[in-house]
Amino acid sequence: MGQIAGIARHSERRGPIEQLTSVRVSPEFGVEGDRNGGKQRRQVSLLEAEDWAQAMREVGGSLPWWERRANLLVEGFDLPQREGVRLRIGDDVVLEVRVEIDPCDRMEELHPGLRQALTVDWRGGAGAQVISGGTVSVGDEIRIEDA
């Protein structure tokens, strides 16, 4: 089991990133106020803290995790790398992993070599669909949902 170490959202493409301590998520809107909520396969994006740190070490960078534009930063947890795995966050929220999130050109704009460093082993993160909504807060436990 791991925990949610950070929460972020952005309401428009290339728009400002807002860091939060908690946020509502729903099957209808994904992360409340985030531009990707209507995308079925990636309503919520998750990023492993260690994956981001490793990519930063490889490129010699020191960018904060939210520059990846992910919604949830997880630590102490290895995100499943296959579609259909369900994740429970806290007591109420259930997400289903749908897709690997490929890093875009923006990552290369942020730091040379970053896009390539994030292509290894799902380091760019996982996209998930909200199955059961609720509130996600920094410090919430994240785990694989029992079948």
Side-chain angles (χ1 to χ4, degrees):
M1 288 184 283
Q3 71 173 4
I4 302 299
I7 302 170
R9 67 180 172 197
H10 58 292
S11 61
E12 58 190 62
R13 187 174 189 276
R14 293 189 176 255
I17 301 164
E18 181 182 10
Q19 295 178 69
L20 308 163
T21 56
S22 66
V23 71
R24 295 234 356 114
V25 298
S26 70
E28 298 81 19
F29 304 110
V31 173
E32 185 177 270
D34 190 79
R35 70 179 291 274
N36 292 316
K39 296 180 178 179
Q40 285 294 319
R41 296 183 58 80
R42 58 177 279 196
Q43 287 181 307
V44 179
S45 55
L46 299 103
L47 179 68
E48 289 181 42
E50 182 51 38
D51 283 351
W52 181 255
Q54 181 62 35
M56 286 293 100
R57 285 191 294 273
E58 287 180 15
V59 300
S62 61
L63 297 169
W65 74 271
W66 58 84
E67 290 291 352
R68 177 65 184 109
R69 305 185 85 72
N71 298 124
L72 303 177
L73 180 70
V74 300
E75 63 182 15
F77 185 75
D78 189 20
L79 287 169
Q81 296 179 355
R82 66 183 190 283
E83 185 174 343
V85 176
R86 290 193 175 189
L87 307 173
R88 181 170 289 276
I89 300 173
D91 294 328
D92 301 322
V93 175
V94 176
L95 306 178
E96 186 171 286
V97 174
R98 293 295 187 155
V99 65
E100 175 182 7
I101 299 178
D102 295 323
C104 62
D105 291 336
R106 179 163 173 76
M107 295 301 101
E108 201 61 23
E109 292 170 16
L110 291 172
H111 197 287
L114 182 55
R115 182 176 187 178
Q116 181 62 37
L118 291 172
T119 61
V120 178
D121 196 30
W122 284 53
R123 277 192 202 156
Q129 180 180 4
V130 180
I131 303 301
S132 177
T135 300
V136 174
S137 298
V138 170
D140 280 353
E141 180 181 282
I142 182 171
R143 63 190 182 282
I144 294 176
E145 175 79 0
D146 293 330

